[in-house]
Amino acid sequence: MSAAVQTFNRPAGQGTCEPIACTHCGVYQLCLPLGLDGTDMALLDSVVRRKEVYKRGAVLFGPGERFDYVYAIRSGSVKTSVSSDDGRVQITGFHIAGELLGLSALASGHYSCEARALETVSVCKVEAERLGEIARKIPSVQYQMLRIMSGQIRQDEQLMLLLGTRRAEEKLAAYLLGLSQRFASRNYSPTQFRLSMSRKDIGNYLGIAEETVCRILTRFHEDGLITAERRMVRLNDIRRLHALARNDAAA
Amino acid sequence: MSAAVQTFNRPAGQGTCEPIACTHCGVYQLCLPLGLDGTDMALLDSVVRRKEVYKRGAVLFGPGERFDYVYAIRSGSVKTSVSSDDGRVQITGFHIAGELLGLSALASGHYSCEARALETVSVCKVEAERLGEIARKIPSVQYQMLRIMSGQIRQDEQLMLLLGTRRAEEKLAAYLLGLSQRFASRNYSPTQFRLSMSRKDIGNYLGIAEETVCRILTRFHEDGLITAERRMVRLNDIRRLHALARNDAAA
DNA sequence: CGGACAGTTGAATGAATTCAACAATCGTGG
DNA sequence: CCACGATTGTTGAATTCATTCAACTGTCCG
């Protein structure tokens, strides 16, 4: 296998990012899938500046701030949002344990979005400069960073597809299913979970009004598709939810 | 200046990506802002596999295809789109000369989107593996790739903001102004240009119906904001367009 | 020249929003 | 520990913005 392959294609035998807590402060998105040896691991470990806790509503970083850290979520959840000069806000993602935030600041050296805790959240702050240093030394770390960013682009593409082409009902069905999948991949229950974000946040994320979110959730509930009580949600009929998300006749 | 700075922050004294045609096949997004010496330049030049021309409607690459090349647009324009399993399509971007396509395939080794020529387009295909090889050797090239990807994320964020929070009229005003800016930064006229995409494509991109695009363009025309005749557009009142895009009272 | 495609316009419909009122819950300080 | 205000969630009614369907024109390309 050539060096190029190691740099650009997934190293053979390396699986996808598994939802296993990494000893090195939960940064599994960065270090787990790499198969680093002890020395490299220690090196990577050394860039972790400090662990920190943010309360609900606290801002991890905001647009325009200097890009000093990459944030790895250890527990809790975070929303990221962008805003326009005229004050409109679009939530671009909800992030949970194991995910890495802030890499998109690379281009300009300043964060483009705001990251705010949805509930008490514990993070590791990784020094951006030293991470860059490490990345130069350990190709697989560099590869992994590129991988994370290109993964982010894919995720954004999916949200654009959702925002641009689906109706409210489909958006919400797809949203619930997306959450379900993410929880499943982290060994949480895919059918029963707690929403850490408000209806308003969901609406903003999906490009629909808060009231519409309510109404549709109520309808789903009445139709027996889900059981929704405040922020607890249980998916009762994933099959039909899928059909709804795809606007299938078999709804 | 430390190595990390060179890797992660914009090298001092290097400006933004200037719209100057690069001798090396127009890949200025990749090689221009780097200040490479002759040897590096030659190395970088060597990864360019071949120049190729696509006619209107031709597909450069499609979703699922193996990630073998990065595409640098020399002339013409390209649209990229993603689609869902149930056949819905969302155009995620229109790309013109100097832009680089395909890097987001890095994560999985397969393209996630489709790239299709809007008109006759000339591209350079850059071998992905060899580019990866070079990137490992020349830090500034690696940096530049990260930069391009993080720039892509920013651009996507802006589209999400547009799709999620603006009404049709605002979307269209913002769209025209965005085009204007891009043309300006490439030393084309910011007030008069030809749209290479159909009304349908614009509508899809903005998440509105083709007819709505027509109606609003007509209204803009009648209000003296623009002069639109088929695909030729002239912006007559950029100030008011801005106001419209921001939903300002001063419209 | 002719067919297909792209663009435009009108009328009817509908999905989602806005505005409003109210209920339930949370969290904070007395 | 309770009470209170603030936040969050829910529901109804009226409205609006955008869509859909349809017909038609103009334009491009083979």
Side-chain angles (χ1 to χ4, degrees), chain B residues 155-167:
Chain B
Q155 197 177 308
D156 290 350
E157 283 172 349
Q158 288 311 306
L159 181 53
M160 286 186 261
L161 188 60
L162 200 69
L163 285 170
T165 68
R166 323 303 270 208
R167 289 187 293 96

Side-chain angles (χ1 to χ4, degrees), chain A residues 76-139:
Chain A
S77 54
V78 172
K79 66 174 171 183
T80 47
S81 60
V82 292
S83 47
S84 53
D85 44 12
D86 58 330
R88 268 175 280 200
V89 175
Q90 172 70 35
I91 294 175
T92 53
F94 299 111
H95 309 272
I96 58 180
E99 296 186 352
L100 220 56
L101 298 178
L103 268 186
S104 68
L106 215 54
S108 66
H110 297 270
Y111 299 108
S112 61
C113 62
E114 179 191 88
R116 190 182 287 261
L118 283 168
E119 58 197 323
T120 299
V121 67
S122 167
V123 301
C124 279
K125 296 169 82 161
V126 181
E127 287 180 83
E129 288 214 357
R130 293 186 59 195
L131 181 58
E133 209 172 322
I134 308 283
R136 287 217 311 149
K137 289 185 188 144
I138 315 176

Side-chain angles (χ1 to χ4, degrees), chain B residues 167-169 207-209 211-212 215 230:
Chain B
R167 289 187 293 96
E169 198 181 52
I208 55 184
E211 293 93 327
T212 306
R215 276 185 251 274
R230 230 169 150 65

